[in-house]
Amino acid sequence: MHSASLPLLVLAALLVPGRPALSDPNPDQPPAAPPAVPAPAPQTIPNIPLLRVVPKGEARHIAFYTALNPDCSPIGPVVIRTLSQPRHGRLAFDMAESFPRYAPGSPLATCNSRKAQGQRMTYEPEDGFEGGDTFRILVINPDGIGYESDVKVSVR
């Protein structure tokens, strides 16, 4: 046997399936299972609280959700899911045209003067109710960015 081929034979013996590795302390035992890979940490969705005041006995549009390009054209639909219902009122969503309310420093603030298509959220307190109500929603924008919102409504 040629001396240069000896390392190749040792390597080949290591690669044969079912054959124990040379460093195996117990070749008669089945190989140990590989260590478990830890599960990835769950993604944390940000929470943006929303506070609103609604007159007693009246339904009010309390929020409007839209997603716009810098030229104020729509990117696509915003999806809103109710995660928990209000205890003392009714919640409704409908497609509507309204004015967005981007922050003054936002590059989209110029869009605030134009109506845009979006999802309008309406809250209506139950008859005779006065006080605080809460519910939770999930907002998913067309680009996949989403957030939850704890909504607190003060009915006065």
Side-chain angles (χ1 to χ4, degrees):
M1 185 179 252
H2 196 266
S3 64
S5 63
L6 183 59
L8 291 176
L9 287 174
V10 172
L11 180 60
L14 290 173
L15 298 176
V16 174
R19 235 183 161 173
L22 294 178
S23 63
D24 248 353
N26 228 345
D28 296 333
Q29 296 286 329
V37 177
Q43 184 180 15
T44 302
I45 298 175
N47 188 302
I48 301 172
L50 180 64
L51 307 171
R52 292 292 186 258
V53 178
V54 173
K56 180 180 170 183
E58 292 185 30
R60 285 289 169 111
H61 306 299
I62 60 171
F64 179 72
Y65 300 91
T66 190
L68 303 176
N69 289 304
D71 68 354
C72 303
S73 64
I75 295 172
V78 176
V79 174
I80 302 175
R81 297 207 172 110
T82 305
L83 301 177
S84 68
Q85 293 287 335
R87 293 183 187 181
H88 304 288
R90 290 170 292 287
L91 191 59
F93 296 94
D94 65 319
M95 291 297 294
E97 277 196 356
S98 191
F99 294 98
R101 293 183 180 161
Y102 291 103
S106 167
L108 296 172
T110 58
C111 300
N112 292 347
S113 63
R114 300 182 193 175
K115 281 191 171 184
Q117 189 73 20
Q119 287 280 339
R120 179 174 55 193
M121 180 168 60
T122 304
Y123 173 85
E124 182 177 7
E126 60 190 25
D127 290 339
F129 177 74
E130 188 171 354
D133 203 355
T134 60
F135 57 92
R136 181 178 221 142
I137 60 172
L138 170 66
V139 179
I140 305 170
N141 289 312
D143 59 2
I145 294 174
Y147 62 92
E148 292 181 359
S149 189
D150 288 319
V151 184
K152 293 181 180 179
V153 179
S154 179
V155 179
R156 304 278 177 205

